[in-house]
């Protein structure tokens, strides 16, 4: 029997985590869940941001499925998501964006964003110079740029992808983004069968909006990757359909790209698909290849019937109903 840690956070986290566990339970019978909680609710009850034993559980199980966790904006504690990624050195944030159904004016989008997950402005090196001047330090290192680049190129080879697009703002941030770009290009030179393209982040946003189908694997830094992946989610019908994996050398945490959706929390309205797709990525990572394929196919089939989907996709179903519909399609 294997065990994965399930981290339940805030907002819609509980509803969609329950959906994902229900689907995985239906599909795989030798997998247990160790459920741990984290976030604002836990903090208000206990004074700690994470339930006791959470980190030990992830350390032991090496794999976790995580619901979204809230982070106060502008003030308050630092992001638990960022802490977890740093603690387990989950350097590769992999975010597939694929058209599953008729939920947007774009068709046939199939790209994957590789976002460096541990440095950049997310390093949290901020300084108050005076009440009227704040600094944030952008940190980019050769080693961390190289390992995310290698991960992206290796993925491209393993998944029959043709092109890697490196996204920076190296015309302005010549040292930091310049280093990332040069390291990524050096890695790319080791993969002569793949096309390497470099593009500036501002142009990238426009090119994506004009035609996202011309992109394949996108390799970028932490902040640009965060913004681009929400932008890309818009091409396929929104955040309810965008899964992600945070992968390190020894640990991996799978989660939806979206946040806690406080506006719809507790109403049985949330779309569980992004977290269930993340669970499919988790199953593949754990070696349950067939189960992962079955799950992806079932999600695909379920999404062909718009009226049976959740409200964000134009349907009438509740979270529970759509979860059951995916199970019916398994
Ligand atoms: P959000 O992703 O929670 O919501 C943005 C919009 O998308 C809202 O209108 C929401 O209703 C909708 N939405 C998101 N997920 C949905 C789903 N599964 N089904 C249907 N509609 C969905 O982003 P927001 O409002 O900026 O952030 C809220 C909180 O989430 C913040 O505290 C933020 O820090 C946190 N957050 C956590 C993340 C994580 O745990 N990995 C990632 C992003 C944000």
């Amino acid at each position: 029997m294997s065990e994965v840690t399930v981290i339940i956070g805030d907002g819609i986290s509980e509803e969609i985590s329950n959906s994902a566990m229900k689907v995985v339970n239906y599909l795989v019978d030798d997998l247990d869940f160790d459920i741990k909680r984290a976030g604002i609710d836990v903090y208000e009850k206990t004074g700690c941001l994470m339930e006791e034993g959470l980190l030990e559980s992830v350390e032991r199980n090496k794999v976790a499925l995580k619901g979204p966790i809230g982070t106060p904006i502008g003030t308050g504690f630092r992001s638990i998501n960022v802490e977890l990624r740093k603690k387990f050195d989950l350097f590769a944030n992999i975010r597939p964006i694929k058209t599953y159904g008729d939920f947007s004016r774009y068709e046939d989008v199939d790209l994957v964003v590789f976002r460096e997950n541990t440095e950049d402005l997310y390093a949290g090196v901020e300084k108050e110079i005076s009440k009227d001047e704040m600094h944030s330090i952008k940190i980019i290192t050769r080693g961390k740029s190289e390992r995310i680049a290698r991960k992206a190129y290796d993925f491209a080879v393993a998944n029959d992808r043709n092109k890697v697009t490196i996204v920076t703002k190296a015309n302005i941030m010549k040292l930091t983004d310049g280093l990332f770009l040069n390291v990524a290009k050096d890695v790319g030179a080791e993969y002569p069968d793949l096309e390497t393209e470099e593009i500036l982040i501002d142009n990238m946003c426009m090119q994506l909006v004009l035609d996202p189908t011309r992109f394949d694997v996108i390799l970028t830094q932490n902040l640009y990757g965060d913004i681009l992946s929400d932008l890309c989610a818009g091409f396929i019908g929104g955040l309810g359909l965008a899964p992600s994996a945070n992968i390190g050398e020894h640990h991996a945490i799978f989660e939806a790209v979206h946040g806690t959706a406080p506006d719809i929390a507790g109403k049985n309205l949330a779309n569980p698909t992004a977290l269930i797709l993340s669970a499919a990525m988790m199953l593949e990572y754990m070696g349950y290849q067939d189960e992962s394929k079955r799950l992806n196919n079932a999600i695909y089939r379920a999404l062909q019937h718009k009226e049976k989907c959740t409200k964000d996709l134009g349907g009438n179903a509740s979270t529970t109903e759509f979860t059951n519909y995916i199970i019916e399609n398994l």
Side-chain angles (χ1 to χ4, degrees):
M1 199 71 150
S2 327
E3 188 177 84
V4 300
T5 307
V6 173
I7 303 172
I8 298 183
D10 302 299
I12 59 171
S13 216
E14 175 123 34
E15 298 160 76
I16 59 172
S17 301
N18 285 338
S19 293
M21 285 190 282
K22 188 171 176 184
V23 172
V24 173
N25 261 334
Y26 181 87
L27 197 61
V28 184
D29 47 23
D30 63 343
L31 197 59
D32 262 354
F33 303 118
D34 184 22
I35 299 174
K36 299 286 180 206
R37 289 171 188 274
I40 296 170
D41 287 351
V42 175
Y43 183 72
E44 281 169 1
K45 280 186 199 131
T46 67
C48 297
L49 291 170
M50 295 180 205
E51 203 181 322
E52 208 177 309
L54 187 152
L55 294 176
E56 292 77 2
S57 177
V58 178
E59 182 70 56
R60 184 179 68 245
N61 289 329
K62 313 233 176 298
V63 178
L65 183 65
K66 189 183 108 8
I69 301 175
T71 309
I73 296 174
T75 57
F77 60 80
R78 290 192 55 206
S79 163
I80 301 171
N81 301 309
V82 174
E83 287 309 311
L84 285 169
R85 291 167 193 166
K86 282 171 101 176
K87 157 92 184 146
F88 294 106
D89 199 19
L90 306 172
F91 64 90
N93 191 339
I94 304 170
R95 297 181 153 184
I97 299 285
K98 193 169 157 49
T99 301
Y100 278 96
D102 182 20
F103 304 115
S104 121
R105 72 189 80 125
Y106 296 92
E107 288 172 13
D108 301 325
V109 180
D110 184 7
L111 57 84
V112 185
V113 178
F114 272 72
R115 161 189 175 195
E116 202 292 323
N117 220 10
T118 57
E119 52 183 7
D120 192 357
L121 285 162
Y122 283 61
V125 187
E126 291 195 299
K127 199 170 165 188
E128 180 177 320
I129 305 301
S130 73
K131 285 276 167 273
D132 301 315
E133 185 176 345
M134 309 293 170
H135 289 188
S136 182
I137 312 285
K138 175 162 182 161
I139 297 173
I140 299 293
T141 61
R142 178 177 298 280
K144 290 183 176 176
S145 303
E146 189 176 331
R147 64 182 183 171
I148 185 67
R150 209 166 283 290
K151 197 89 181 166
Y153 277 94
D154 283 344
F155 171 91
V157 171
N159 292 277
D160 295 324
R161 300 279 179 163
N162 299 316
K163 184 169 76 172
V164 177
T165 303
I166 307 165
V167 183
T168 65
K169 188 74 181 170
N171 56 332
I172 302 297
M173 280 160 278
K174 294 179 194 295
L175 295 182
T176 47
D177 286 28
L179 176 63
F180 185 90
L181 176 60
N182 287 333
V183 169
K185 282 201 297 188
D186 286 349
V187 170
E190 295 173 30
Y191 298 77
D193 293 339
L194 290 173
E195 186 189 340
T196 292
E197 170 185 48
E198 56 178 274
I199 186 162
L200 298 175
I201 179 71
D202 39 352
N203 185 18
M204 180 67 176
C205 292
M206 184 194 66
Q207 298 295 343
L208 273 167
V209 171
L210 287 178
D211 181 11
T213 63
R214 86 171 192 77
F215 295 99
D216 199 345
V217 173
I218 296 170
L219 166 60
T220 192
Q221 299 168 354
N222 210 338
L223 180 60
Y224 306 143
D226 193 8
I227 297 167
L228 281 184
S229 40
D230 269 37
L231 172 73
C232 289
F235 300 139
I236 56 168
L239 286 167
L241 296 174
S244 85
N246 301 281
I247 310 267
E249 291 299 343
H250 305 292
H251 295 84
I253 298 183
F254 297 81
E255 63 181 334
V257 168
H258 63 71
T260 59
D263 48 337
I264 54 167
K267 298 180 178 161
N268 204 14
L269 286 177
N271 183 353
T273 310
L275 191 62
I276 298 176
L277 283 168
S278 308
M281 292 176 84
M282 178 186 82
L283 291 175
E284 188 189 358
Y285 174 88
M286 294 178 78
Y288 294 101
Q289 313 292 352
D290 290 345
E291 289 83 351
S292 171
K293 251 187 217 136
R294 265 185 75 196
L295 182 48
N296 272 308
N297 289 339
I299 295 168
Y300 178 82
R301 280 196 294 271
L303 290 172
Q304 302 318 300
H305 303 274
K306 212 180 207 176
E307 74 287 356
K308 302 233 181 193
C309 295
T310 44
K311 241 183 167 168
D312 56 308
L313 298 179
N316 310 310
S318 65
T319 310
T320 320
E321 284 164 346
F322 190 62
T323 306
N324 291 338
Y325 190 53
I326 291 176
I327 291 175
E328 265 176 52
N329 276 279
L330 272 170

